[in-house]
Amino acid sequence: MRVTELLYRWSGMIFGANKLYYIERRVGARMTKTGIADARSYFARAASDPAEREALINAFTINETYFYREDHQLAALSREILPELVRTRRPGDLVRIWSMPCSTGEEAYSIAIWLLENWPLVDAYNIEIVGSDLDTHVLDQARAGGYAARALAKLPPKVIESYFEPERGHRRKIIDDLRESVRFAPANIVDRATLAPLGTFDVILCRNLLIYFDEASRAKAAENLFESLAPGGYLCLGHSESMTRISDRFVMARLEDAIVYRKP
């Protein structure tokens, strides 16, 4: 079986012929790391060893992100989505928000910071924020909560001073209270078995992931996202993604700040 077919089966990601050098470089690095010189032997190892398969998948994931990315959706969250969701709830009720894929945690922490700064009712409800990613290495970085200046570039200075403490050099670390308020857990969007333990969510941010999938994987991911949403819940995709071309189970909603998709 070809390398690209294995990666597709394990992760849902598509890699074309133009990515051959990219693939060879990352597979070669894992072969060197494991001390296996023969490609066939290496892939036999990856197929039988979940830890090595996880390490190989980690090597292929894309983790470009920063704080307050696509903040128009964060504005929609505080101005329209959450006010609508809590309209029929009581103070203290649970509201669950899921960032998938969360990469090194910037999006999940951005949600927490944005709500503290922009939603007056944030303390009236039990807000649970979960970040998930296929790449377990970046989840470890997310839990640590340390970031370089580039990741913080869009944050107002006041926000940086309030929610980050200085680390070495120009790095900053999320304050403990905020870091402990966000939970991170591994998940594969095309594997329902990894999603079921997380339960259902009122809001899911799944941005700039489906563009890396083919039609079959997108359909599977859409079905899993639908099952992971609570009735009446909201799904936010990336600005170049549209659920209407993938699944007819969601209802599109045009909000003041963003286009989102809702589970009836």
Side-chain angles (χ1 to χ4, degrees):
M1 182 177 290
R2 293 189 308 167
V3 176
T4 53
E5 292 173 354
L6 283 171
L7 291 169
Y8 174 74
R9 191 175 73 186
W10 293 336
S11 70
M13 293 184 290
I14 293 290
F15 296 97
N18 62 324
K19 297 289 187 180
L20 182 60
Y21 174 70
Y22 175 86
I23 293 169
E24 290 177 344
R25 193 152 51 95
R26 279 156 177 74
V27 172
R30 289 308 310 164
M31 291 174 64
T32 299
K33 185 78 172 179
T34 56
I36 300 174
D38 175 66
R40 187 179 295 274
S41 298
Y42 172 74
F43 281 104
R45 161 80 177 272
S48 62
D49 181 353
E52 182 53 35
R53 184 163 63 248
E54 179 180 286
L56 179 63
I57 292 171
N58 287 354
F60 280 90
T61 54
I62 299 168
N63 298 301
E64 171 63 29
T65 188
Y66 48 85
F67 284 88
Y68 279 15
R69 186 180 189 184
E70 296 190 31
D71 56 3
H72 62 282
Q73 288 187 345
L74 297 177
L77 184 65
S78 60
R79 291 175 184 170
E80 296 184 76
I81 294 175
L82 288 177
E84 174 61 22
L85 284 172
V86 303
R87 191 169 51 83
T88 57
R89 303 189 190 189
R90 297 172 297 179
D93 280 354
L94 179 64
V95 177
R96 304 192 74 223
I97 303 173
W98 188 28
S99 168
M100 169 68 183
C102 69
S103 186
T104 44
E106 287 91 333
E107 180 173 272
Y109 290 128
S110 288
I111 295 167
I113 293 170
W114 184 275
L115 295 184
L116 287 167
E117 289 291 302
N118 296 282
W119 192 40
L121 296 179
V122 64
D123 291 325
Y125 296 90
N126 180 12
I127 308 295
E128 181 183 1
I129 300 171
V130 178
S132 295
D133 204 284
L134 181 66
D135 186 338
T136 54
H137 178 63
V138 297
L139 292 178
D140 289 337
Q141 295 179 59
R143 294 185 187 101
Y147 298 97
R150 180 181 176 186
L152 310 176
K154 282 195 68 176
L155 292 178
K158 179 178 75 71
V159 168
I160 295 175
E161 292 302 316
S162 297
Y163 300 104
F164 296 81
E165 56 190 23
E167 251 192 336
R168 63 187 182 279
H170 295 290
R171 291 182 62 83
R172 294 271 186 156
K173 184 175 181 179
I174 292 275
I175 59 173
D176 288 346
D177 283 351
L178 189 62
R179 188 164 52 86
E180 292 167 3
S181 71
V182 178
R183 180 165 69 92
F184 294 97
N188 183 343
I189 197 65
V190 295
D191 183 356
R192 183 66 199 161
T194 69
L195 307 181
L198 300 178
T200 58
F201 295 87
D202 298 293
V203 183
I204 299 175
L205 286 85
C206 182
R207 308 191 295 188
N208 307 308
L209 173 64
L210 301 184
I211 56 175
Y212 297 105
F213 292 171
D214 68 354
E215 186 175 339
S217 292
R218 279 195 292 268
K220 185 181 293 186
E223 184 65 23
N224 287 336
L225 288 168
F226 188 87
E227 295 301 322
S228 295
L229 267 182
Y234 289 83
L235 170 66
C236 301
L237 298 179
H239 71 277
S240 63
E241 298 169 313
S242 172
M243 186 56 72
T244 56
R245 295 194 293 268
I246 304 172
S247 171
D248 61 1
R249 302 192 70 184
F250 297 85
V251 176
M252 186 177 73
R254 294 182 181 274
L255 306 182
E256 181 180 344
D257 297 290
I259 294 176
V260 298
Y261 301 90
R262 198 167 190 188
K263 181 173 180 175

